Amino acid sequence: GILEVIYEDVRSGIVMSEALEKHKKVFPDFFRSMIYVGEQSGKLETVFLALADYYETDSNIKKKMKSAMSYPLMLMVMAIGIVIIMLAFVIPTFRDTLSKLEVEITGITAVIYGMSDFLLANWLYMLAGVVVIGLVIFGILRTEKGKYAFDFLKVKIPLLKTVQINMVTARFARAFALLISSGMDITDAMDSVEVVIGNRYVKRRFHAAAESVRQGMSLTNAFESHKLFPPMMNQMITVGEKTNSLDDVLLRSCSFFDSQVETSLNSLTSKIQPIMLIIIGAVIGTMFIGVYSPMLSIMNGLGV
């Protein structure tokens, strides 16, 4: 239906960029900016093809990110589920059996039994607390300050930092090269490319770098002073500025930064998975010791 409205607007003499401007909720800012650039430069067909490649690549990166994080999240849910099942069902059964044998419960076993009692007595309150906390976090993340804080954490947490920076760099390289190659001025391109960065914390620093460029600072110095991108990106920009071929250099470097995103995702997964497995093993091992140590004591007392 929206495409039909745009079609009628274009037929009536309105340029496509203005027709798209009426539907901001459907077409992203970057997309609309690129269409405007394509109209002004006479390269609308080239811009459309480049946009198709851009969104396809960006979608593939997002899919890889979700795929890389799905297994660790599944392990975390499984670990929590195992603990709850042990505390709610398995441990009470063992406790009833041991209580008939009048075995003294001490040490880690007493702690685990206490956790089981607490869970069984307060599970409804705990569930309500989890729901409330989840709603509070969801509400905070809906605010601008909450989103900014979350984006800040994503570039500061050691395991996530490399992935996030590489994703931002890959998006910037492809979008900035696309804008410049289509004929847009560098300062205008920096204004337009802000919307594709995605991370609000990085976007604020990028905006400061754009102001420095407007005041006469080179792109390389502006990015280095605000510590926006990895050294490789700064080196590529330096080469592009010196050879007056910034768009070509960035376009050629896109594949490299895309591969860096995939490499950092694989590295993140390879580090998180063993950590989660160790945590699961430690938790289950501790509960196993706590549950069976009284039985082992009985067997030792009986000389078994």
Side-chain angles (χ1 to χ4, degrees), residues 88-106:
F89 301 102
V90 178
I91 290 176
T93 302
F94 275 93
R95 184 175 186 178
D96 291 340
T97 303
L98 291 174
S99 63
K100 298 175 183 178
L101 299 175
E102 298 181 354
V103 179
E104 184 181 0
I105 305 300
T106 59

Side-chain angles (χ1 to χ4, degrees), residues 35-232:
I35 299 304
Y36 175 77
V37 172
E39 289 174 339
Q40 296 299 312
S41 61
K43 300 179 180 179
L44 190 57
E45 179 183 358
T46 303
V47 167
F48 267 120
L49 292 172
L51 280 171
D53 291 337
Y54 170 82
Y55 283 111
E56 183 178 1
T57 304
D58 195 58
S59 176
N60 290 334
I61 291 175
K62 290 178 180 178
K63 289 179 181 177
K64 290 176 182 178
M65 181 68 175
K66 291 179 181 178
S67 176
M69 295 303 297
S70 60
Y71 184 63
L73 288 174
M74 183 183 68
L75 288 177
M76 184 183 299
V77 171
M78 185 174 68
I80 295 173
I82 290 173
V83 170
I84 292 174
I85 291 172
M86 291 283 289
L87 292 175
F89 301 102
V90 178
I91 290 176
T93 302
F94 275 93
R95 184 175 186 178
D96 291 340
T97 303
L98 291 174
S99 63
K100 298 175 183 178
L101 299 175
E102 298 181 354
V103 179
E104 184 181 0
I105 305 300
T106 59
I108 189 172
T109 305
V111 174
I112 293 176
Y113 282 4
M115 293 170 60
S116 177
D117 291 339
F118 182 81
L119 176 64
L120 292 173
N122 301 283
W123 68 270
L124 192 59
Y125 299 107
M126 294 173 68
L127 180 61
V130 170
V131 172
V132 170
I133 292 173
L135 291 175
V136 169
I137 293 175
F138 178 77
I140 291 174
L141 291 179
R142 298 278 291 180
T143 64
E144 194 61 33
K145 289 184 178 179
K147 292 177 181 178
Y148 179 85
F150 184 62
D151 286 343
F152 174 80
L153 289 176
K154 285 194 288 187
V155 297
K156 294 300 179 181
I157 297 175
L159 289 177
L160 294 177
K161 178 180 179 181
T162 304
V163 175
Q164 187 67 20
I165 293 299
N166 284 334
M167 286 186 66
V168 169
T169 304
R171 283 183 173 183
F172 165 79
R174 180 168 286 98
F176 199 63
L178 190 56
L179 288 166
I180 295 176
S181 63
S182 298
M184 184 176 283
D185 181 74
I186 287 182
T187 54
D188 293 334
M190 291 188 73
D191 290 336
S192 297
V193 83
E194 278 189 26
V195 298
V196 304
I197 289 178
N199 187 291
R200 288 168 176 77
Y201 174 71
V202 177
K203 187 185 294 185
R204 180 175 293 185
R205 293 164 62 186
F206 185 87
H207 185 75
E211 290 296 325
S212 299
V213 172
R214 288 191 186 89
Q215 295 173 8
M217 186 180 292
S218 66
L219 278 175
T220 305
N221 292 335
F223 290 157
E224 286 181 347
S225 63
H226 292 87
K227 299 179 180 179
L228 280 170
F229 302 117
M232 177 61 74

